[in-house]
């Protein structure tokens, strides 16, 4: 055996046995970044939303220049806080525009991640007609196509699956898109982030993922702050799923301090994500309406957490390590 053969065989053995450190990637609109290198990350924000509804949404309701003029200063401000990665949670049929995201990423220097999947919350107003008629397998095929071939005839790929459901119990369509998400995950390794109306919805979503062979750590419970019973955070996170508190603003810092303190007390910080759900150039409003900055976390929350005894390591876990692990693309099967 020559040296090159030896290196190849050692590599294959290592891959097969999982020895050593395996590098996983996060998929951004400008290509892949090693999960360990995505740095400080906001896991749930939006550049643009168009709430007109799946029946009426169409291109040309805004100009890219007008959105860039509005949003770019906020991304540059974010970059000045040493935030390197921005997860854009606007799904298809609510204004997902991957060319816009790519341009903003290039001009700001912030990594941006986009998504595939459908949003079944808000009374299913944002589900396209075919979501009512097609099977879970057919819907998954559409999302897998985006992963394999790119979105909207670009080479830009989704970095996660974004789904949505109202407060439980889930409707038939909402259950179907969860199953489609599970099928897509098992084919692509994309993490499934689900807008969830309450803890009952999150519990039911996790059950569907498990029944379809997906491990809990492939699931992010989006908008966990909607649930007022903190024990549900414990129930979901202790199974390995991600609990995301993502409506932070300057006025609710103490609620976030309380929820994060609960997670720390129960040794669940390593399953916790935090973000603002901010931004939002509102298509249809004059000059995009009010745009909320992405910086409360840095200016308000982190100083308060430090006062409450959170260490630098805890903060790094929340906004550095956890997002990298949560969004690292890899298939997670239920064992
Ligand atoms: Zn959102």
């Amino acid at each position: 055996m020559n040296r090159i053969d030896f290196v190849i065989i050692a590599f294959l053995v290592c891959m097969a046995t999982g020895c050593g450190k395996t590098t996983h990637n996060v998929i951004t609109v400008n290509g892949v970044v090693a999960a360990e290198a995505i740095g400080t990350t906001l896991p749930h924000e939006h550049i643009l939303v168009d709430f007109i509804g799946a029946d009426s949404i169409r291109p040309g309701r805004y100009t890219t220049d007008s959105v860039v003029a509005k949003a770019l200063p906020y991304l540059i401000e974010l970059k000045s806080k040493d935030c390197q990665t921005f997860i854009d949670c606007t799904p298809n049929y609510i204004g997902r525009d991957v060319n816009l995201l790519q341009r903003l990423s290039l001009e700001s220097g912030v990594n941006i991640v986009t998504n595939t999947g459908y949003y079944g919350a808000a009374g299913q107003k944002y589900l396209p007609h075919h979501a009512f008629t097609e099977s879970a397998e057919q819907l998954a095929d559409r999302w897998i196509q985006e992963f394999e071939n790119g979105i909207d005839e670009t080479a830009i790929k989704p970095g996660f699956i974004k789904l949505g459901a109202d407060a439980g119990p889930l409707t038939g369509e909402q259950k179907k898109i969860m199953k489609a998400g599970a099928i897509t995950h098992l084919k692509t390794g994309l993490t499934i982030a689900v807008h969830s109306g309450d803890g009952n919805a999150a519990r039911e979503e996790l059950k569907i993922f498990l029944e379809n062979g997906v491990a809990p750590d492939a699931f992010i419970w989006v908008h966990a702050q909607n649930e007022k019973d903190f024990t549900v955070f414990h129930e979901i996170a202790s199974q390995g799923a991600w609990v995301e508190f993502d409506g932070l603003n300057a006025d609710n810092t103490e609620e976030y301090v309380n929820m994060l303190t609960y997670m720390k007390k129960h040794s669940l910080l390593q399953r916790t994500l935090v973000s603002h759900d901010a931004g939002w150039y509102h298509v249809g409003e004059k000059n995009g309406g009010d745009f909320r900055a992405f910086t409360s976390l840095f200016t308000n929350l982190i100083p308060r957490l430090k006062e409450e005894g959170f260490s630098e390591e805890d903060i790094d876990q929340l906004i550095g390590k956890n997002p990298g692990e949560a969004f690292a693309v890899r298939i997670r099967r239920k064992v």
Side-chain angles (χ1 to χ4, degrees), residues 219-290:
F219 166 52
I220 300 174
W221 171 13
V222 171
H223 304 328
Q225 72 276 4
N226 290 344
E227 175 56 58
K228 299 307 169 200
D229 178 358
F230 285 17
T231 64
V232 190
F233 307 152
H234 189 281
E235 174 193 329
I236 301 288
S238 61
Q239 293 178 68
W242 298 94
V243 173
E244 182 180 277
F245 306 115
D246 51 29
L248 178 69
N249 62 53
D251 302 326
N252 62 13
T253 307
E254 292 312 306
E255 288 172 38
Y256 282 70
V257 169
N258 290 341
M259 292 186 288
L260 294 169
T261 301
Y262 175 88
M263 297 304 271
K264 180 173 160 68
K265 191 175 140 210
H266 291 275
S267 303
L268 293 169
L269 273 191
Q270 79 285 1
R271 294 287 103 183
T272 307
L273 298 166
V274 60
S275 209
H276 308 91
D277 200 4
W280 303 24
Y281 180 102
H282 292 74
V283 178
E285 291 185 21
K286 189 167 184 294
N287 193 29
D290 286 334

Side-chain angles (χ1 to χ4, degrees), residues 44 46 89 162 223 277 280:
H44 187 124
H46 299 268
C89 288
K162 171 77 189 287
H223 304 328
D277 200 4
W280 303 24

Side-chain angles (χ1 to χ4, degrees), residues 122-139:
Q124 305 183 161
K125 181 184 176 188
Y126 302 105
L127 288 179
H129 179 70
H130 64 250
F132 294 88
T133 58
E134 293 185 356
S135 67
E137 289 75 11
Q138 286 172 306
L139 295 176

Side-chain angles (χ1 to χ4, degrees), residues 101-117:
L101 297 180
Q102 188 176 54
R103 178 169 157 195
L104 282 168
S105 177
L106 290 170
E107 293 192 17
S108 65
V110 175
N111 298 318
I112 300 181
V113 177
T114 189
N115 64 84
T116 190

